[in-house]
Amino acid sequence: MSDPKKEWPLWEVFVRGKGGLSHRHVGSVHAADAKMAIEHARDTYTRRLEGVSLWVVPSAQITASDPGEAAALFEPAEDKVYRHPTFYSIPDHIKHI
Amino acid sequence: MYTTDLSGKNKAEAVSEDAAKVAAFEARVANDEFIEPKDWMPEAYRKTLIRQISQHAHSEIVGMLPEGNWITRAPNLRRKAILLAKVQDEGGHGLYLYAAAETLGVSRDEMTEALLSGKAKYSTIFNYPTLTWADIGAIGWLVDGAAIMNQVPLQRTSYGPYARAMVRICKEESFHQRQGYEIMMHLAQGTPEQKRMAQDAIDRWWWPSLMMFGPPDDKSPNTEQSMRWRIKRETNDELRQKFVDITVPQAHAIGLSVPDPALKWNEARGAHDFGEVDWEEFYAVVRGEGPVAKERMQARQKAWDDGAWVREAARVHAEKRASAKIAAE
Ligand SMILES: [Fe+2]
Ligand SMILES: [Fe+2]
């Protein structure tokens, strides 16, 4: 039977599409260590010029917010419309603002 | 195709679930929202997805074998480089999909074991042999073509990681189909012998390709639930019809024919009528009686066994280095 301790750990892969862009999550790979994770990420996620830089992070090291708390975390932003520039009415003849 | 449910009827789930949670889940899915790994989901949804995604992943991996068979015998360097890239893509597709299934709580090794023990299925199409070079053309054109037909709607499937894997896969599939059709085109324009070889390949791959869409709708017990859960977006028969309508003119355009005497354009329906698939053959292949089913599993088993020492050595090496690093700190 499979022994989870013997499986190579899972790594999350992030790719920078091109210079000037931030790294974006694209998927995951299994690898014994970080160097191998980079090699596997390269072969799996960048066969067609999809990127110029890779990050790999052990999946176990990622802490995610709880979807059950999504309302508590993100909804308050909805009633703070004054955080958006369109909240303020400025007469049309005032330029460059 | 690769996602056709080959397992028969879902067993009635004895799990009692919070009715309010189930209702909220169904509403989200009906609203075309994406479900993500940490979201609550009914157990039957999770199980069906694990089965469907892992079966799809196994199909990508086993699907490397019939084509891998021709890499060393490709007719020239251009074709060899293309075939190598295509087969590598299929390996990548398998990996995207395994990773998507793992987010549902099944491990990679568990999935591999299920494949090797025969518990998990893979697409019936890969249990047919690749006898000539023209088969490589027919596979790219017909088999990848059928795969695309099925996978495009799945880019909007309800489970986020699966949908994202599908987006990546669909981007890569188009090259697969075009290189296959190009092979057929060249053979069809070649010597009479080459043309015969191309026709022979369609004659052998046509019906198995139609089987890839799975049993007829009235014999596909899980379709309704899968459609409701948005893990299937069109029925087997709808997709099969679409495939026939798109593919027949492509065959005729290069002077090849489709081996179906019943095939004929139906003006009133605006679609082709076509003959009945040999479902006895289909179910026999599902049961593991395909012409090269044993060879396929032997090849996967051998790859798994031969790789065991590599997996082990890399793991032990990484552990040693990690503990040496801790000791040095
Ligand atoms: Fe594929
Ligand atoms: Fe493909």
Side-chain angles (χ1 to χ4, degrees):
Chain A
M1 272 318 285
S2 64
D3 175 356
K5 289 187 297 297
K6 289 200 165 169
E7 212 170 82
W8 290 346
L10 197 64
W11 302 71
E12 297 306 314
V13 179
F14 300 79
V15 176
R16 186 198 297 285
K18 56 180 181 184
L21 297 180
S22 48
H23 286 76
R24 199 167 67 91
H25 182 246
V26 291
S28 37
V29 293
H30 282 276
D33 59 23
K35 184 168 171 274
M36 190 195 281
I38 288 279
E39 284 162 4
H40 287 183
R42 187 251 160 234
D43 288 343
T44 310
Y45 293 103
T46 60
R47 290 195 298 282
R48 288 181 175 76
L49 305 170
E50 286 96 337
V52 295
S53 163
L54 282 165
W55 286 354
V56 292
V57 183
S59 307
Q61 296 293 319
I62 297 211
T63 306
S65 63
D66 178 353
E69 286 173 6
L73 284 171
F74 306 115
E75 268 168 22
E78 278 182 13
D79 59 15
K80 295 187 173 57
V81 283
Y82 47 82
R83 283 191 162 142
H84 297 281
T86 47
F87 179 73
Y88 305 92
S89 48
I90 308 282
D92 279 354
H93 67 273
I94 310 293
K95 299 295 178 199
H96 308 300
I97 183 163
Chain B
M1 62 140 313
Y2 298 170
T3 57
T4 295
D5 197 339
L6 300 176
S7 66
K9 210 160 175 61
N10 274 334
K11 284 177 204 80
E13 293 290 326
V15 208
S16 69
E17 289 174 326
D18 186 337
K21 280 185 175 170
V22 174
F25 170 86
E26 297 272 356
R28 285 187 66 194
V29 170
N31 200 25
D32 270 333
E33 281 180 45
F34 287 103
I35 305 301
E36 294 295 340
K38 294 182 78 183
D39 294 345
W40 187 89
M41 61 188 85
E43 210 32 47
Y45 175 84
R46 180 190 302 277
K47 281 194 179 141
T48 305
L49 270 177
I50 288 177
R51 198 174 57 221
Q52 178 171 324
I53 301 173
S54 65
Q55 178 183 300
H56 191 163
H58 297 325
S59 301
E60 302 282 357
I61 299 298
V62 177
M64 297 166 79
L65 296 169
E67 290 177 296
N69 177 37
W70 278 91
I71 290 174
T72 55
R73 294 177 289 161
N76 56 49
L77 197 54
R78 174 178 181 271
R79 293 287 180 203
K80 187 173 184 165
I82 292 170
L83 185 56
L84 204 51
K86 193 227 183 232
V87 173
Q88 191 194 13
D89 273 356
E90 305 300 3
H93 297 173
L95 297 181
Y96 307 154
L97 288 159
Y98 281 131
E102 283 173 80
T103 64
L104 291 158
V106 60
S107 78
R108 179 78 57 95
D109 284 0
E110 281 168 345
M111 287 187 273
T112 305
E113 277 167 9
L115 172 69
L116 295 178
S117 72
K119 210 178 124 226
K121 304 285 184 197
Y122 57 91
S123 180
T124 51
I125 193 78
F126 302 118
N127 287 328
Y128 291 86
T130 39
L131 304 178
T132 73
W133 171 251
D135 289 19
I136 300 307
I139 287 182
W141 170 37
L142 300 174
V143 175
D144 289 77
I148 293 171
M149 189 113 304
N150 193 51
Q151 289 171 169
V152 164
L154 287 174
Q155 293 178 100
R156 294 176 295 116
T157 194
S158 61
Y159 189 57
Y162 190 24
R164 291 191 286 275
M166 278 301 134
V167 170
R168 297 190 69 84
I169 288 175
C170 286
K171 265 190 205 152
E172 300 181 348
E173 286 294 351
S174 169
F175 131 62
H176 298 178
Q177 194 188 17
R178 289 172 69 106
Q179 64 85 35
Y181 190 70
E182 194 199 57
I183 291 174
M184 295 306 264
M185 221 163 64
H186 279 255
L187 290 172
Q189 290 159 359
T191 64
E193 207 187 342
Q194 286 172 317
K195 186 165 178 178
R196 259 201 307 281
M197 195 163 94
Q199 185 60 54
D200 166 65
I202 303 193
D203 290 349
R204 283 180 292 108
W205 289 94
W206 176 255
W207 291 106
S209 298
L210 295 193
M211 292 176 198
M212 285 169 66
F213 297 99
D217 291 349
D218 55 7
K219 297 213 171 57
S220 181
N222 300 326
T223 291
E224 198 193 315
Q225 175 174 271
S226 290
M227 299 272 283
R228 197 178 75 241
W229 279 343
R230 309 280 205 266
I231 52 184
K232 183 178 185 125
R233 309 224 44 157
E234 281 170 85
T235 73
N236 298 352
D237 287 334
E238 283 165 6
L239 290 165
R240 191 165 12 247
Q241 178 73 56
K242 254 194 193 174
F243 178 77
V244 169
D245 290 337
I246 284 178
T247 312
V248 166
Q250 292 171 348
H252 293 165
I254 51 176
L256 298 174
S257 65
V258 167
D260 179 359
L263 182 86
K264 120 168 162 287
W265 177 251
N266 182 327
E267 193 63 50
R269 283 205 308 130
H272 291 85
D273 293 335
F274 56 97
E276 183 76 5
V277 172
D278 179 353
W279 294 113
E280 283 314 306
E281 177 179 326
F282 170 76
Y283 288 114
V285 181
V286 171
R287 284 195 305 270
E289 296 161 23
V292 290
K294 281 201 185 70
E295 287 87 331
R296 297 294 184 241
M297 276 312 98
Q298 277 163 3
R300 286 314 308 154
Q301 184 71 54
K302 184 175 187 308
W304 182 245
D305 294 343
D306 290 353
W309 73 269
V310 180
R311 293 192 299 276
E312 179 69 1
R315 185 180 62 78
V316 172
H317 178 67
E319 279 170 9
K320 273 189 189 157
R321 291 234 317 222
S323 47
K325 206 175 150 199
I326 291 166
E329 274 166 6

